Amino acid sequence: MNFEHGKGVPIEEVGAQTIANEDGNILVVKHAVANQRKVEEDHVWRAIELQKFYDEVHEIADKYGDVCSRMIRIDTPEVMLTGNFVDYVSDVVDLEPQVLVNFKATIIRRKELN
């Protein structure tokens, strides 16, 4: 669990998960829960999170070998409202909506020639 303390906004990350699909390709999925305003307005945060996911996907691809970068497809992150709110510690109740950011990539494996 990672908590970002900028502007008092908690960020909870869940590590990347890998799932092999039927075609033999590898699907990599990661989720992050964040304050909606942070996701919408903080372009630096978005760039850092996407770069971290990009690096994780490339590390996974390296484990399988024989994969070049053009065989990795990283989809645009999907943002969904969670319906949850964060109440900051203060005298004034300030509820902030939380969103779930879904990162997804496909590593296309080369087919073996027999």
Side-chain angles (χ1 to χ4, degrees):
M1 191 178 295
N2 177 26
F3 289 100
E4 176 81 26
H5 293 291
K7 296 183 183 177
V9 179
I11 303 294
E12 180 179 340
E13 290 183 40
V14 179
Q17 305 165 5
T18 57
I19 305 156
N21 68 22
E22 305 90 33
D23 298 333
N25 298 328
I26 301 162
L27 181 64
V28 182
V29 179
K30 179 179 178 179
H31 310 284
V33 177
N35 174 285
Q36 181 179 5
R37 190 174 355 169
K38 180 137 187 110
V39 173
E40 290 174 353
E41 298 173 3
D42 191 344
H43 67 281
V44 173
W45 179 85
R46 291 192 312 264
I48 289 170
E49 291 302 308
L50 190 56
Q51 183 63 50
K52 285 196 287 190
F53 181 66
Y54 179 87
D55 292 342
E56 287 179 48
V57 169
H58 279 80
E59 282 179 29
I60 292 166
D62 288 345
K63 289 179 187 175
Y64 289 95
D66 211 18
V67 174
C68 65
S69 13
R70 66 176 193 270
M71 297 173 75
I72 298 173
R73 186 182 72 227
I74 297 182
D75 297 343
T76 302
E78 181 181 68
V79 179
M80 301 166 41
L81 282 172
T82 66
N84 296 327
F85 295 85
V86 171
D87 182 4
Y88 297 118
V89 179
S90 69
D91 292 339
V92 178
V93 175
D94 183 16
L95 297 176
E96 293 287 338
Q98 298 291 289
V99 294
L100 177 66
V101 183
N102 296 311
F103 297 93
K104 184 173 112 178
T106 305
I107 301 169
I108 301 165
R109 307 250 344 249
R110 293 182 194 217
K111 305 293 184 227
E112 295 296 324
L113 299 175
N114 292 328

